[in-house]
Amino acid sequence: MFNVGITDKCVNELHPMLRNIVVLTGAGVSAESGLRTFRADDGLWEEHRIEDVCTPAAFARDPRLVHQFYDARRTRAAEVEPNPAHHALARLEAEWEGDFLLVTQNVDSLHERAGSKRLIHMHGKLDSGWCLACGERFPWLGSMSPSGNICPLCKVEGQVRPDIVWFGEMPYEMDRIEAALMNADLFVSIGTSGAVYPAAGFVQTARYCGARTVEINLEPSLGSVFFDEARIGPAGVEVPKWVDEMLQSAQSSPMSS
Ligand code: BV8
């Protein structure tokens, strides 16, 4: 592990003030579960152009191609299991006395399958559908391709789209996320390249509002300069270690109410 800046001693010293935690995750936290990231050599964007599969214009132009892209990811996501990083974050949420919010850019459901509850999918979910005829959203399993694409509520055919935030679309629950960032004592970013906004700007907002900022990633992200501490290594190894440290130091100096 390569640890820049804060030593364990400082963490313990500072800990009494670290009540409110916001954690942001990206594709890197699900990589060890067997889900591809976007920008790695074998990443999703190697085979698919964002313009063809991840914009409203792409869906209007060729819904069949977009459904194929998300049907394949929905099938794959159902085949894999949460890894130690997902489980460690669920444990931190369950045992942390202060405020805790997990914001994920991921559309897989590995966080909630590991037990996370205080969770926001800011870019949507694979196992959710959105009917453009009646505007409703609902759980969706399996293929969304034209043949079986019937809204379970209004019964209109062919108007259900993936409930995913595409480029140019507003991410979900931005107000709740902004409020948590402004109230955070600690902001931790895990497994994300920091390439896409507004998520890539969260570290600056948190930092500006006085939070300590930590990055856990396989390599420094594009926003690494904004982090007080970088823990470089696989999330499945580094996140459980970091969570153990946080919970141990919480025990050694319980939070004043
Ligand atoms: C919007 C869902 C209006 C789909 C996604 C400001 C400046 C410039 C551009 C913009 C700007 N503001 C907005 C834009 C435009 C655009 C944008 O940011 N473009 C980029 C390309 C420059 N943003 C938008 O369009 C956004 N919408 O702006 O609306 C608005 C918004 C707010 C307020 C007012 C108006 C919407 C963007 C959302 C698009 N949808 N995903 C899907 O999943 O198919 S984005 C997608 O890419 C992800 O969700 C994520 O957000 C993003 C980056 O992916 P990562 O998760 O970080 O994955 P990546 O592969 O890149 O990196 C993986 C990392 O993990 C690497 O660093 C690697 O080292 C590490 N890693 C790998 N293995 C491991 C590991 N780490 C630890 N352990 C391991 N084992």
Side-chain angles (χ1 to χ4, degrees):
M1 171 173 75
F2 169 58
N3 197 340
V4 176
I6 303 278
T7 62
D8 288 356
K9 186 178 81 45
C10 303
V11 170
N12 292 335
E13 266 162 25
L14 287 175
H15 181 47
M17 296 178 296
L18 294 183
R19 284 188 61 78
N20 306 332
I21 301 177
V22 175
V23 175
L24 173 71
T25 63
V29 81
S30 295
E32 291 155 75
S33 294
L35 295 184
R36 296 163 67 185
T37 65
F38 294 90
R39 288 168 181 75
D41 303 347
D42 66 344
L44 288 164
W45 295 152
E46 292 308 306
E47 276 166 38
H48 307 275
R49 290 177 342 121
I50 286 177
E51 298 83 332
D52 297 340
V53 293
C54 201
T55 65
F59 187 65
R61 192 173 49 245
D62 187 347
R64 186 178 295 279
L65 178 65
V66 173
H67 281 312
Q68 273 167 9
F69 176 65
Y70 286 102
D71 284 357
R73 291 176 61 193
R74 194 174 299 111
T75 305
R76 179 69 186 136
E79 293 165 351
V80 301
E81 296 301 323
N83 65 56
H86 296 107
H87 290 295
L89 290 170
R91 178 175 164 235
L92 179 61
E93 175 191 330
E95 299 180 19
W96 186 252
E97 289 168 14
D99 287 359
F100 179 92
L101 180 66
L102 176 55
V103 179
T104 188
Q105 299 166 84
N106 300 343
V107 294
D108 64 61
S109 56
L110 295 177
H111 280 305
E112 47 268 62
R113 286 171 53 197
S116 289
K117 296 189 177 35
R118 286 182 260 169
L119 169 65
I120 292 177
H121 279 272
M122 71 176 290
H123 290 163
K125 298 172 66 172
L126 285 168
D127 53 19
S128 177
W130 177 13
C131 176
L132 298 176
C134 67
E136 293 297 327
R137 288 174 167 84
F138 33 78
W140 189 281
L141 298 174
S143 170
M144 212 180 257
S145 294
S147 53
N149 188 306
I150 298 169
C151 173
L153 303 172
C154 72
K155 308 302 178 202
V156 166
E157 190 154 345
Q159 289 299 306
V160 176
R161 63 159 269 183
D163 184 13
I164 302 274
V165 176
W166 289 325
F167 286 89
E169 295 185 321
M170 172 72 88
Y172 295 152
E173 304 210 54
M174 283 301 294
D175 298 346
R176 233 180 107 201
I177 296 170
E178 293 283 344
L181 289 170
M182 287 194 266
N183 188 39
D185 302 308
L186 177 62
F187 173 77
V188 182
S189 174
I190 302 170
T192 185
S193 58
V196 172
Y197 288 78
F202 291 172
V203 61
Q204 294 167 56
T205 304
R207 194 183 175 78
Y208 181 78
C209 299
R212 221 172 71 66
T213 56
V214 176
E215 171 170 72
I216 303 177
N217 218 51
L218 214 47
E219 63 199 339
S221 71
L222 297 174
S224 57
V225 290
F226 299 111
F227 289 93
D228 299 308
E229 180 183 354
R231 298 185 176 213
I232 303 299
V237 174
E238 296 306 326
V239 175
K241 268 191 210 164
W242 169 70
V243 167
D244 290 345
E245 275 175 40
M246 289 297 292
L247 293 175
Q248 268 144 31
S249 53
Q251 263 132 34
S252 60
S253 51
M255 266 177 249
S256 51
S257 54

